[in-house]
């Protein structure tokens, strides 16, 4: 099965930047749609961003548009989330996920990482 491992989280001041990475093993990375989600304490998991298997199309939640950028490097089996202009409300555990390429935005993701914590201080 596919294993996803996130890294790059940490503590950052408001206005700062972080880049999260998610590396996949098993399966065929280039065939997957990849996504990022986040979950803050006491809140439900929320959608952040999606990138298609080809990398030709990306989607972003309104809350992060203009600040976050999702990208992928299929040669490295890695998806990234570049987070700029971070705000305290971005504080959450961030998770990457994978599903079959060509899936609709409503198709559930099949594989999930364990998450990496991002904390933004004011």
């Amino acid at each position: 099965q596919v294993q996803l491992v996130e890294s790059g989280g940490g503590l950052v001041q408001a206005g700062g930047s972080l880049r999260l990475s998610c590396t996949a093993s098993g399966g065929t990375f280039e065939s997957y749609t990849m996504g990022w989600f986040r979950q803050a304490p006491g809140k439900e998991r929320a959608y952040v961003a999606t990138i298609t298997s080809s990398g030709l199309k990306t989607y972003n939640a309104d809350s992060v548009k203009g600040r976050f950028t999702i990208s992928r490097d299929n040669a490295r089996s890695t998806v990234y989330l570049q987070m700029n202009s971070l705000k305290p409300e971005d504080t959450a555990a961030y998770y990457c996920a994978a599903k079959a390429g060509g899936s609709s935005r409503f198709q559930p993701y099949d594989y999930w990482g364990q998450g990496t914590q991002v904390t933004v201080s004011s």
Side-chain angles (χ1 to χ4, degrees):
Q1 66 175 27
V2 175
Q3 182 178 2
L4 304 174
V5 179
E6 303 97 333
S7 63
L11 176 64
V12 65
Q13 292 284 118
S17 299
L18 284 173
R19 189 180 76 160
L20 306 183
S21 299
C22 172
T23 299
S25 59
T28 305
F29 179 78
E30 62 267 27
S31 73
Y32 302 136
T33 294
M34 301 297 297
W36 284 98
F37 295 77
R38 64 187 183 184
Q39 187 169 24
K43 297 183 179 179
E44 295 185 347
R45 186 170 295 183
Y47 167 77
V48 175
T50 303
I51 188 165
T52 59
S53 58
S54 66
L56 294 177
K57 185 67 177 178
T58 62
Y59 304 89
N60 296 279
D62 288 343
S63 59
V64 306
K65 284 181 178 176
R67 300 189 299 121
F68 291 10
T69 303
I70 187 171
S71 62
R72 68 191 295 156
D73 184 343
N74 285 348
R76 294 180 179 271
S77 297
T78 300
V79 63
Y80 304 96
L81 185 68
Q82 178 66 48
M83 306 185 295
N84 299 325
S85 302
L86 283 161
K87 304 174 180 180
E89 52 262 44
D90 296 318
T91 295
Y94 283 72
Y95 301 86
C96 68
K99 63 182 179 181
S103 300
S104 80
R105 66 189 68 191
F106 304 106
Q107 177 66 36
Y109 284 77
D110 300 307
Y111 305 101
W112 293 82
Q114 293 299 306
T116 185
Q117 179 67 37
V118 172
T119 302
V120 184
S121 62
S122 60

